[in-house]
Amino acid sequence: MSLIPRKKVIRQVIATRQRLQAISVLGATGSVGVNVLDVIARHPERYKVFALSGFTQLELLKKQCLLHRPDYAVVPTPQAVATLQKQLLEEGSQTQVVGGESGLKFVAGHRDVDTVVAAIVGAAGLNATTAAVEAGKKILLANKEALVMSGALFMQAVRSSGAVLLPLDSEHNAIFQCLPSHAQHGLAHAGVRRILLTSSGGPFRQTPMAQLHNVTPDQACAHPKWSMGRKISVDSATLMNKGLELIEACWLFGARPSQVEVVIHPQSVVHSLVDYVDGSMLAQLGNPDMRTPISHALAWPQRIDSGVEPLDLFKVARLDFEVPDEKRFPCLALAREVADVGGTAPASLNAANEVAVQAFLDGRIGFMQIAECIRHVLDKEPVVAVTDLYGVMEADASARRWALGWLNQHYQR
């Protein structure tokens, strides 16, 4: 069943209407975080920034702290803490800088925080997002890896803590908008036949297959519609991102893998669709701009200005849809296979993908070898039931070892 408790969100909105909502943005310097801060800045009467975190773009994080004046900033190392704290003090800022995973968990679960934006890329965001869940926060989820790696545990924690979970990915947010409130009792109860996840197809949708072996990281990161970080851009080029979203959709909306279909839609105007048993199909449309799902999740069940231009259907003129070619995009097939297997397999898939994508970005392997590395890990790594977070992290670590071993054996430099 769906675990996005809409009635609780309505009560929360009413309770906080007379005060500013305090927001921790985990991953503030990434593309999602930057867009979140843009929307927040448009509504100073509604929101205030409690905490910001950054990993490598510390100069940008400093500028964000000076502009948005959070109570806390989180950086990865003690050295970074000292450096940023000194710089902020010199500028007269009262922001306190904390470090490491303990710092992330501190600002995610702090009693003064209403909403946590979980936008840290990859497995690195899992523990902080889990801390926000355990503290019963309203969570705007952009870190799909949290659900991919530990879906059953994560959703059980949501149930136990009473946390509110709202999706920030444009596709899952679109699905949420197209579902009725009673879908939380199950898709069958709501008359849903299937969910259709749309994908632009990335930069290589029409590239001849023979040329895919020679594409460069810069070419893979040149997404035709969205501006994103390099890791997620490569995931979009391989369609692994869509595979991870398929797994995420199963957990968010209580769907079976067979009920989630991926559709190539190069215009990126239809962000996803819901197909009903009576023949109706509902879609959410809009310009490809992350501020739309961000503003929707921030203000739900209300609507606020996002800064996004209205969609001009006459300019769009046409909408195309295609079946994805899994020979061209083998990572999508691997993700669907893993969604059916369950257990620790999704954690292994995610870990192997992170290692392989970084190897591609570093020039160690070719684009099509990303899937080869992942296939090797999935063949080697045993699948066991997920019973606790320790087991998830063990599977993650083991998969990374298998992936690194494959890389060292085949592509030493």
Side-chain angles (χ1 to χ4, degrees):
M1 65 177 179
S2 173
L3 288 170
I4 302 172
R6 303 184 180 207
K7 291 182 179 179
K8 176 172 179 176
V9 179
I10 294 173
R11 292 196 298 269
Q12 187 181 64
V13 168
I14 293 173
T16 59
R17 190 170 289 165
Q18 302 303 317
R19 63 180 178 84
L20 296 179
Q21 293 186 48
I23 302 175
S24 286
V25 184
L26 309 183
T29 58
S31 59
V32 172
V34 168
N35 281 302
V36 167
L37 291 176
D38 180 90
V39 175
I40 289 174
R42 294 172 186 274
H43 300 278
E45 78 288 354
R46 283 176 171 265
Y47 309 112
K48 66 175 181 179
V49 177
F50 179 81
L52 301 173
S53 83
F55 188 68
T56 57
Q57 300 185 72
L58 299 187
E59 184 62 29
L60 174 57
L61 182 63
K62 183 183 79 171
K63 293 177 181 178
Q64 291 176 333
C65 288
L66 294 175
L67 177 62
H68 298 282
R69 296 182 294 179
D71 293 338
Y72 295 94
V74 188
V75 291
T77 66
Q79 182 180 2
V81 170
T83 300
L84 182 58
Q85 189 71 80
K86 181 175 182 294
Q87 293 173 343
L88 291 176
L89 287 172
E90 289 173 350
E91 296 283 352
S93 170
Q94 297 182 8
T95 297
Q96 182 177 344
V97 184
V98 295
E101 189 170 286
S102 62
L104 288 172
K105 293 167 74 172
F106 171 74
V107 302
H110 197 284
R111 64 182 182 183
D112 293 338
V113 172
D114 299 299
T115 300
V116 175
V117 177
I120 296 174
V121 175
L126 175 60
N127 286 329
T129 305
T130 301
V133 169
E134 291 173 347
K137 303 301 181 183
K138 175 183 175 182
I139 299 152
L140 309 189
L141 187 68
N143 172 247
K144 62 180 63 66
E145 290 83 0
L147 276 174
V148 169
M149 293 177 66
S150 60
L153 296 175
F154 191 90
M155 298 309 275
Q156 180 57 50
V158 170
R159 280 191 293 268
S160 299
S161 68
V164 172
L165 188 61
L166 295 168
L168 277 195
D169 275 344
S170 60
E171 296 83 1
H172 300 94
N173 183 268
I175 294 162
F176 179 63
Q177 293 192 50
C178 293
L179 287 173
S181 59
H182 59 279
Q184 62 186 292
H185 301 300
L187 294 184
H189 184 79
V192 173
R193 178 161 38 206
R194 59 182 175 150
I195 290 168
L196 292 91
L197 285 172
T198 57
S199 166
S200 72
F204 306 134
R205 180 175 63 90
Q206 296 180 314
T207 303
M209 287 283 291
Q211 295 181 18
L212 291 178
H213 294 276
N214 300 316
V215 300
T216 67
D218 285 344
Q219 289 173 323
C221 292
H223 196 280
K225 292 294 182 180
W226 298 94
S227 176
M228 304 176 292
R230 288 175 72 80
K231 191 270 181 183
I232 193 172
S233 293
V234 174
D235 282 350
S236 294
T238 64
L239 255 63
M240 176 59 86
N241 195 49
K242 207 55 49 179
L244 298 178
E245 288 174 4
L246 185 156
I247 298 170
E248 182 183 11
C250 291
W251 289 114
L252 280 174
F253 305 113
R256 300 184 305 275
S258 61
Q259 289 180 290
V260 183
E261 185 174 341
V262 174
V263 179
I264 301 295
H265 169 53
Q267 290 87 1
S268 294
V269 168
V270 177
H271 297 298
S272 275
L273 310 94
V274 176
D275 178 30
Y276 288 87
V277 295
D278 63 2
S280 300
M281 186 173 285
L282 301 186
Q284 187 265 334
L285 286 72
N287 284 315
D289 191 315
M290 276 301 300
R291 291 176 297 175
T292 295
I294 287 167
S295 63
H296 176 267
L298 273 172
W300 195 87
Q302 299 173 314
R303 299 270 181 172
I304 58 174
D305 174 42
S306 65
V308 178
E309 290 295 318
L311 180 65
D312 186 342
L313 288 174
F314 300 106
K315 185 177 180 181
V316 174
R318 60 180 287 172
L319 301 173
D320 297 306
F321 302 93
E322 306 167 8
V323 176
D325 180 357
E326 293 189 352
K327 290 184 178 179
R328 176 182 295 274
F329 301 114
C331 285
L332 178 59
L334 291 173
R336 184 173 289 282
E337 173 188 322
V338 159
D340 287 323
V341 171
T344 54
S348 298
L349 172 89
N350 180 72
N353 180 63
E354 289 190 11
V355 173
V357 168
Q358 189 59 55
F360 169 68
L361 290 171
D362 291 342
R364 294 188 64 195
I365 62 174
F367 180 74
M368 296 301 288
Q369 289 157 340
I370 293 172
E372 291 180 26
C373 179
I374 298 168
R375 176 77 273 170
H376 170 80
V377 172
L378 293 178
D379 287 342
K380 294 293 185 181
E381 183 67 18
V383 178
V384 299
V386 173
T387 57
D388 54 37
L389 195 57
Y390 175 79
V392 172
M393 299 312 294
E394 279 288 293
D396 175 273
S398 180
R400 290 174 192 275
R401 288 192 294 270
W402 280 114
L404 289 170
W406 184 86
L407 291 171
N408 291 333
Q409 181 179 354
H410 290 80
Y411 299 97
Q412 282 188 331
R413 286 190 177 182

